Amino acid sequence: MSDEVEVPESHPRYESLLTRHRIEAGVDRGITSRQGLIAQGRGEAYDYLLGERTIESADRAERAAAAYILQADHAVISVNGNAAALVPGELVELAEATGADLEVNLFNRTEERIRAIAEYLREHGAEAVLGLEADGRIPGLDHERAKVDADGIGDADVVLVPLEDGDRAEALGEMGKTELVVDLNPLSRSAQVATVPIIDNIVRAIPNVTAHARELADDPEAQRDAIEAFDADEALSAAERAIRGGE
């Protein structure tokens, strides 16, 4: 998909228009569902209220998330249609920097979309993509959205779930997994149940997690410090204050 949009980079809404274009192109390519268009608009509204910036509490969350992934026995990055459309190369870079697996996991699951997203990730450098087997299930969920790879998310102890729906995020938590959630709404169930809620735009969050991971990679003590210093409740409260009051 091309990043070209008929708007000059000097336009004050350039980045916003670019992300909209990526989602629209994702729908055309069969990667993103039409419902993803609605989800993108909702998230963009929260980002606007945040000042379209990474606030300090979000950066601490991104550092803690990087530490959790580095310390995991088996970390998996869950990829849905919007995430694939918005940050495909960035997700691949994060996986490479941390040794995490990539798994395609969809709310509106079809084999065609699974294959399309896996192929798109490969085009952006991924060597292996899980999610096609879907031989495991998340307990407590019904229908296609319960499917996961038994050797991927099913086996993981740490899962990064950007742009996840709330009941699946809650169900993964009930499986005992450490959940790292990227969500622009601090009041969403996904953010509320996460071990590490990252209240930031995914286009900023994923590169930031990668940057922190590279910095922390050879420093187990710094990884522990990043995890111990992070407070999920404080991060949610800080994001809500920023949204409500522009703090």
Side-chain angles (χ1 to χ4, degrees):
M1 291 183 289
S2 172
D3 278 352
E4 293 182 6
V5 290
E6 295 180 2
V7 178
E9 291 189 26
S10 59
H11 191 288
R13 307 299 300 147
Y14 176 77
E15 291 296 335
S16 173
L17 293 170
L18 177 59
T19 57
R20 294 180 202 178
H21 166 72
R22 290 176 179 172
I23 292 291
E24 181 184 17
V27 173
D28 292 341
R29 182 163 175 149
I31 289 172
T32 307
S33 71
R34 290 180 179 176
Q35 290 90 336
L37 292 167
I38 299 170
Q40 172 65 19
R42 183 174 63 241
E44 187 174 292
Y46 282 102
D47 198 26
Y48 190 84
L49 294 172
L50 276 171
E52 296 175 311
R53 73 196 198 284
T54 300
I55 61 177
E56 290 184 12
S57 58
D59 186 68
R60 289 194 294 272
E62 288 152 3
R63 188 172 181 82
Y68 270 113
I69 296 171
L70 290 169
Q71 291 198 348
D73 291 327
H74 182 196
V76 173
I77 302 167
S78 180
V79 184
N80 67 7
N82 280 33
L86 291 170
V87 286
E90 292 86 344
L91 290 168
V92 172
E93 287 184 18
L94 176 57
E96 291 176 346
T98 60
D101 287 332
L102 292 165
E103 178 172 336
V104 183
N105 197 250
L106 304 178
F107 181 91
N108 297 296
R109 180 187 176 91
T110 68
E111 296 307 313
E112 292 78 13
R113 282 187 66 212
I114 291 284
R115 288 195 295 270
I117 293 171
E119 178 59 28
Y120 194 56
L121 292 172
R122 293 190 192 100
E123 289 176 14
H124 283 80
E127 295 184 1
V129 181
L130 304 174
L132 281 75
E133 294 296 327
D135 52 353
R137 295 187 69 84
I138 302 172
L141 297 180
D142 56 11
H143 201 49
E144 297 292 295
R145 65 204 187 98
K147 292 183 176 179
V148 294
D149 266 21
D151 293 332
I153 289 175
D155 178 63
D157 57 331
V158 174
V159 186
L160 174 62
V161 283
L163 316 182
E164 182 61 277
D165 63 295
D167 61 343
R168 279 206 306 181
E170 192 169 33
L172 286 169
E174 289 174 355
M175 293 175 71
K177 301 183 187 301
T178 297
E179 282 190 284
L180 321 171
V181 170
V182 181
D183 193 317
L184 276 160
N185 178 6
L187 301 178
S188 75
R189 184 160 35 151
S190 297
Q192 292 286 325
V193 302
T195 306
V196 179
I198 302 171
I199 311 303
D200 200 3
N201 192 317
I202 190 173
V203 301
R204 297 188 299 268
I206 299 302
N208 285 352
V209 174
T210 302
H212 282 300
R214 287 173 174 154
E215 180 185 343
L216 295 170
D218 299 318
D219 194 340
E221 183 176 352
Q223 294 169 23
R224 290 192 296 272
D225 289 344
I227 290 170
E228 292 174 1
F230 179 71
D231 185 307
D233 291 335
E234 189 279 329
L236 292 171
S237 295
E240 185 175 350
R241 288 195 302 272
I243 288 169
R244 291 182 182 275
E247 295 181 18

